Amino acid sequence: MAAPRAFLRLVAPVWNRGTCGVRGLSKAVDPEGSQRKGRTLLQFLTDRFYDVEAVREYLLRKQVLKVQKKNRSFTYIEERYGPYVAGAYFVLKQGGTVKFRDREWMRANERGLSSLEFRKLQEVPVEAVDASGCAINYQGLDNLLALKELQSLSLRRCPHVDDWCLSRLYQLADSLQELSLAGCPRISERGLACLHHLQNLRRLDISDLPAVSNPGLTQILVEEMLPHCEVLGADWAQGLKVGPEKQSRDAAGSPIPA
């Protein structure tokens, strides 16, 4: 006996903006009818632009809620196992890695971490966090600011880390020695200016920040702001015109065309 056929229905919210809403989308767009009329689904949606905007807003809200859910605080874990385990659990859930003091780097596997492992690490400070590419935002930063012995923090390519996030890092000023912000699209000069609190920093990576208008000049200012810190970023001399003396030497050494 043949297996029953499965049907895919498009279910979407209904907006009362006329008779041609999203409700009738699955009926109006018939594959055979589209071929006859030479119309595509995209063309159909374009004809009803207000519905496309509504779908876009719905998907955007859904994405924002997803990021907010990822950045919630795990209060029940903190109450049971303390701030070190709660902070580590947050990073591991995001897909990052953590290093407890005198331990190897830890990454979450399919099983996650057992309660027995949590108990063993309750009193062990987290000294390094690599959250590269994670969806950490201003709200989720609370989970990291509780790690008062944190020495190294990598936020490379984090799409939601912005200037407001950097304004909160002063809470780690006593311990933080290494910080990477490379590739964060929402960090500008204003956020980097907030790092003046981190006078214990010894290494700072601010390379590839698209929102920084003048990377070379910004790096010079950050180096003056943090005189004991090695700042990695753009070459301040990159793009400068070659001086007359250098040009004359190059011209003298180049072959004369026949």
Side-chain angles (χ1 to χ4, degrees):
M1 183 172 128
R5 296 177 61 185
F7 295 91
L8 178 63
R9 292 185 60 189
L10 177 60
V11 180
V14 178
W15 292 272
N16 297 322
R17 296 185 180 179
T19 58
C20 296
V22 178
R23 186 203 301 271
L25 184 60
S26 58
K27 296 181 180 179
V29 182
D30 177 74
E32 297 178 358
S34 294
Q35 292 177 1
R36 288 196 307 267
K37 298 179 182 179
R39 295 170 59 87
T40 65
L41 177 60
L42 180 60
Q43 290 172 330
F44 178 86
L45 294 175
T46 303
D47 293 341
R48 292 150 178 83
F49 185 73
Y50 57 84
D51 282 348
V52 178
E53 284 295 297
V55 172
R56 180 179 178 275
E57 292 176 4
Y58 168 75
L59 295 177
L60 181 60
R61 288 196 301 270
K62 188 175 181 180
Q63 183 180 5
V64 171
L65 290 175
K66 183 178 180 181
V67 173
Q68 290 178 349
K69 184 178 179 180
K70 282 188 173 183
N71 283 275
R72 69 187 186 276
S73 297
F74 295 96
T75 308
Y76 65 97
I77 294 182
E78 183 175 358
E79 292 176 351
R80 185 170 183 179
Y81 299 105
Y84 303 143
V85 171
Y89 184 79
F90 167 75
V91 176
L92 296 175
K93 286 282 289 184
Q94 290 265 0
T97 58
V98 298
K99 185 180 184 303
F100 287 84
R101 181 176 295 172
D102 301 326
R103 304 295 179 95
E104 298 294 330
W105 281 93
M106 181 182 298
R107 181 185 298 275
N109 53 30
E110 295 179 356
R111 298 180 296 105
L113 289 176
S114 66
S115 58
L116 178 60
E117 289 175 300
F118 279 164
R119 293 192 189 97
K120 292 180 180 179
L121 298 171
Q122 274 183 278
E123 304 299 329
V124 183
V126 175
E127 64 179 12
V129 167
D130 186 350
S132 300
C134 294
I136 295 176
N137 65 5
Y138 183 89
Q139 175 187 354
L141 206 61
D142 287 335
N143 297 279
L144 301 182
L145 298 179
L147 306 176
K148 298 303 182 182
E149 289 83 5
L150 189 64
Q151 299 178 13
S152 176
L153 175 61
S154 177
L155 299 173
R156 294 174 60 90
R157 303 183 307 278
C158 289
H160 305 292
V161 171
D162 55 13
D163 294 340
W164 291 104
C165 292
L166 299 193
S167 69
R168 304 187 66 195
L169 292 182
Y170 72 91
Q171 300 180 54
L172 299 175
D174 293 337
S175 63
L176 199 60
Q177 299 179 19
E178 296 185 4
L179 176 63
S180 178
L181 304 171
C184 293
R186 298 190 179 187
I187 291 179
S188 70
E189 295 89 343
R190 293 184 178 181
L192 295 177
C194 299
L195 301 181
H196 70 90
H197 297 285
L198 306 180
Q199 291 299 318
N200 287 327
L201 273 184
R202 295 297 175 263
R203 190 173 187 273
L204 172 64
D205 191 349
I206 56 172
S207 58
D208 190 22
L209 299 179
V212 174
S213 57
N214 194 325
L217 179 59
T218 299
Q219 180 174 344
I220 295 175
L221 296 177
V222 172
E223 288 174 342
E224 293 181 354
M225 183 177 67
L226 301 171
H228 304 294
C229 180
E230 176 189 5
V231 181
L232 305 179
D235 182 3
W236 68 270
Q238 185 177 1
L240 294 180
K241 294 182 179 180
V242 181
E245 183 179 352
K246 179 68 166 56
Q247 289 180 344
S248 61
R249 287 200 304 267
D250 292 342
S254 60
I256 300 176

